[in-house]
Amino acid sequence: MARLNMFPILFILLLASCALPTLAHLDDSPAMVECKKHFSIKYAFDVYNYIFKGKKIGDGSCRALVALGRPCHNIFVNNTFTYEQTGNRIAIQARADRVFTHCIIVNSAPPRSSLS
């Protein structure tokens, strides 16, 4: 009769127990919770992809980022530094500042007319 090997199950439980306190820490800041209420996950992905992956950001995401405000933007960026291997922090912070500045400019530009 085959015997159940408990090692893989114990290993998975050990990994999960080590990860849970880290995951719980992400949402315990009242400021983070408040900022999340005002920013959709789609916009968060767009901003993240601009900062960390060098992708373009859409005008809608820019409008949402500016409406969210610089303090929440900084909370999100700094929170990302705490739980993710992000590489060169100075370069990433510069890209985070650049995307916010870019979005302010996009927001201040008059809307493009569909009539040309």
Side-chain angles (χ1 to χ4, degrees):
M1 186 178 250
R3 189 166 171 194
L4 180 62
N5 187 353
M6 295 298 288
F7 178 75
I9 295 169
L10 290 174
F11 182 73
I12 291 170
L13 288 174
L14 176 66
L15 286 176
S17 69
C18 292
L20 286 177
T22 303
L23 294 175
H25 166 67
L26 295 179
D27 291 331
D28 63 359
S29 161
M32 175 63 85
V33 171
E34 188 60 30
C35 289
K36 282 182 177 181
K37 289 180 186 176
H38 304 287
F39 205 57
S40 82
I41 194 71
K42 184 238 183 280
Y43 298 142
F45 278 132
D46 285 351
V47 173
Y48 176 91
N49 284 332
Y50 178 95
I51 295 170
F52 294 97
K53 308 225 183 222
K55 295 187 177 184
K56 292 185 177 189
I57 187 167
D59 292 352
S61 296
C62 270
R63 283 189 296 278
L65 180 61
V66 172
L68 180 70
R70 171 98 51 190
C72 282
H73 174 62
N74 291 340
I75 287 170
F76 289 147
V77 171
N78 290 331
N79 189 49
T80 303
F81 286 134
T82 64
Y83 71 90
E84 189 171 306
Q85 297 285 346
T86 55
N88 184 340
R89 187 179 176 126
I90 294 170
I92 290 168
Q93 187 63 55
R95 284 196 301 269
D97 293 341
R98 189 171 35 232
V99 72
F100 200 87
T101 302
H102 165 77
C103 287
I104 289 172
I105 292 167
V106 166
N107 258 6
S108 64
R112 288 182 239 156
S113 172
S114 59
L115 304 173
S116 294

